[in-house]
Amino acid sequence: MVNNTGTIALETDRLLLRQFQYADSDDMLKYWISDEKIQSMYSEPTYKTQEELRPLLDKYISGYQKEDYYRWAIVEKGSDLCIGQIALFFVSTANECCEMEYCLGSDFHRKGYMTEAVNRILQFCFEDVNFHRVQVSHNSLNRASKGVIDKCGFVYEGTFRDYFCMNDEYVSRLYYSMLKGEWESKAVKRKHSDS
């Protein structure tokens, strides 16, 4: 049975995952949400000004009143910078499943941050909320996202061929999932390798 908690604060060794705040707007604009390359990789528009961004933050922050709404700001410990986001959507309590999406500012790529964040959210999904299935996807141009998905142990399920038209080019979307039993099996292996 699913135990929806809403977006609660979570931590990793190097990151704080927490609810968005209006004070995050400067970092968002500086590091990722105004970057067309970053935003296009998960089919989102860019936001160039505080005025454009405000309604989106209104939507994020008002969403936190719902128990089945999950969207975290990714904050780098030490610098306290909001460097990206990670969210769950298509949340189905009846089917005990959801889909994950994420993005990270390019200044923070290749540091293992997103793998760290995704693994923490998977732990939350399976151990706290009790989802049975978490799915994730990436477009065929996004090799970095595929690397995160592979490192976290998702299982490839299939490809939606020519799913998007980006810059007059058709781009496919690849889908993956993880089931609760697969997460638990990974957790047992991690425990044995740590001992």
Side-chain angles (χ1 to χ4, degrees):
M1 181 184 225
V2 167
N3 171 39
N4 282 308
T5 66
T7 307
I8 60 173
L10 304 169
E11 287 190 52
T12 70
D13 289 344
R14 300 179 294 166
L15 303 171
L16 172 64
L17 311 177
R18 58 151 172 81
Q19 294 183 1
F20 276 95
Q21 305 163 359
Y22 289 110
D24 293 324
S25 60
D26 286 340
D27 289 347
M28 293 169 73
L29 288 165
K30 181 175 180 180
Y31 294 113
W32 51 279
I33 211 159
S34 64
D35 186 330
E36 191 170 331
K37 186 175 180 188
I38 295 291
Q39 292 296 94
S40 69
M41 284 299 173
Y42 73 123
S43 306
E44 290 293 326
T46 57
Y47 298 83
K48 300 292 189 183
T49 67
Q50 296 279 355
E51 293 72 28
E52 288 179 1
L53 182 54
R54 179 68 187 226
L56 182 68
L57 276 170
D58 287 342
K59 181 180 163 189
Y60 287 178
I61 290 167
S62 66
Y64 294 132
Q65 296 173 33
K66 295 183 261 180
E67 287 186 343
D68 63 350
Y69 183 82
Y70 299 101
R71 185 171 299 274
W72 292 267
I74 301 174
V75 177
E76 184 183 48
K77 288 181 178 176
S79 72
D80 205 33
L81 296 172
C82 177
I83 61 174
Q85 69 166 324
I86 189 165
L88 305 176
F89 63 106
F90 295 150
V91 173
S92 172
T93 299
N95 296 305
E96 301 181 346
C97 64
C98 65
E99 185 161 344
M100 184 186 298
E101 69 174 7
Y102 48 77
C103 75
L104 190 69
S106 56
D107 289 355
F108 304 93
H109 288 184
R110 296 179 195 82
K111 297 184 179 200
Y113 281 163
M114 192 52 76
T115 301
E116 200 171 305
V118 168
N119 274 319
R120 182 63 185 93
I121 296 300
L122 284 170
Q123 180 184 13
F124 169 77
C125 285
F126 292 122
E127 297 179 14
D128 295 322
V129 183
N130 198 34
F131 284 125
H132 173 69
R133 169 191 165 91
V134 178
Q135 69 183 41
V136 68
S137 66
H138 70 87
N139 78 43
S140 52
L141 302 177
N142 195 344
R143 292 183 185 90
S145 188
K146 182 185 185 318
V148 170
I149 290 165
D150 288 344
K151 283 178 198 162
C152 291
F154 285 90
V155 175
Y156 171 72
E157 291 197 335
T159 298
F160 288 8
R161 297 176 302 151
D162 290 356
Y163 191 67
F164 300 108
C165 190
M166 292 170 57
N167 303 318
D168 298 323
E169 179 185 352
Y170 287 108
V171 178
S172 299
R173 182 161 284 282
L174 288 74
Y175 277 86
Y176 305 76
S177 69
M178 185 179 294
L179 304 180
K180 184 169 186 175
E182 292 163 347
W183 170 261
E184 290 169 345
S185 176
K186 268 180 55 173
V188 167
K189 286 178 189 166
R190 275 196 309 272
K191 196 178 269 186
H192 286 345
S193 67
D194 290 346
S195 55

